[in-house]
Amino acid sequence: MATKLQRRTASLRKLHLLQTLNKPKSVKRSCSIINVLHFYKLKVKLEEIQREYQNLLKNMRIPQEVKVEKINGEQFVVKVACNKGGDKLVSILEVFDELGLNVVQARVSCRHFFSMEAIIGVGQDQKTSDMKDITDAVLKAIDEEQSGEQEMLVT
């Protein structure tokens, strides 16, 4: 008789314990607390990654690159990549004008660094330009622009 009573009370205790663990309010509260903590940890991690990304972008230095390819008799594709800042586009377009080259089509981006891809044609009154001349002139324009920026930062 005593063993039946002990088994019954033990079973009732276990049942009572299971009921308290499975109550909807306690489950919702514990889950919501866990969710809030998890969300907060993710938010902190995201902010840390964003700070690292911004620091990398600030300190990123890409090498200057100018590529000129001839696509037909009188047209060239000019690809330029360098650090952003200043009036690089204006300087490059002035070089094209000085060389008597017309911009047929161009794409420019300044998101993380300056990049430009342009199709240029030789003007009607101009002789065919050499690819090396175009490359040297564009590199000179970029160098002058960057040295001008550094002088402004020093003074």
Side-chain angles (χ1 to χ4, degrees):
M1 183 95 155
T3 56
K4 283 185 179 181
L5 186 59
Q6 286 175 348
R7 282 190 219 152
R8 186 172 181 205
T9 55
S11 297
L12 286 173
R13 282 184 192 155
K14 289 178 184 177
L15 182 63
H16 182 65
L17 181 63
L18 286 172
Q19 286 175 345
T20 57
L21 290 176
N22 291 328
K23 283 187 179 176
K25 290 182 181 179
S26 66
V27 171
K28 286 181 184 176
R29 286 181 188 157
S30 65
C31 285
S32 64
I33 291 171
I34 291 171
N35 286 340
V36 168
L37 289 174
H38 184 67
F39 179 74
Y40 180 73
K41 286 179 183 177
L42 288 175
K43 182 181 174 186
V44 169
K45 198 171 193 177
L46 178 65
E47 289 171 351
E48 179 183 333
I49 290 170
Q50 286 175 336
R51 279 193 303 272
E52 286 179 26
Y53 179 70
Q54 292 300 324
N55 286 337
L56 285 173
L57 288 179
K58 286 179 184 177
N59 298 326
M60 183 174 71
R61 296 281 178 225
I62 64 163
Q64 296 181 54
E65 185 177 29
V66 177
K67 291 183 181 178
V68 180
E69 301 170 8
K70 197 169 201 173
I71 53 176
N72 65 30
E74 297 183 4
Q75 287 189 337
F76 299 93
V77 174
V78 179
K79 297 178 183 178
V80 179
C82 59
N83 292 321
K84 68 179 182 177
D87 296 328
K88 289 182 176 53
L89 180 62
V90 174
S91 300
I92 293 170
L93 292 177
E94 286 174 349
V95 165
F96 290 162
D97 190 46
E98 289 170 7
L99 293 174
L101 302 170
N102 299 323
V103 178
V104 177
Q105 182 181 359
R107 285 187 293 177
V108 178
S109 173
C110 290
R111 184 168 180 157
H112 301 299
F113 55 90
F114 176 83
S115 66
M116 180 186 87
E117 183 174 337
I119 297 174
I120 56 173
V122 177
Q124 295 171 350
D125 58 339
Q126 193 69 15
K127 295 180 182 178
T128 304
S129 294
D130 186 19
M131 293 188 316
K132 185 166 177 17
D133 294 340
I134 297 170
T135 305
D136 292 342
V138 172
L139 279 171
K140 184 178 175 186
I142 293 171
D143 286 337
E144 287 175 1
E145 185 64 39
Q146 285 184 347
S147 64
E149 287 174 23
Q150 289 175 354
E151 288 175 9
M152 293 175 87
L153 291 175
V154 172
T155 57

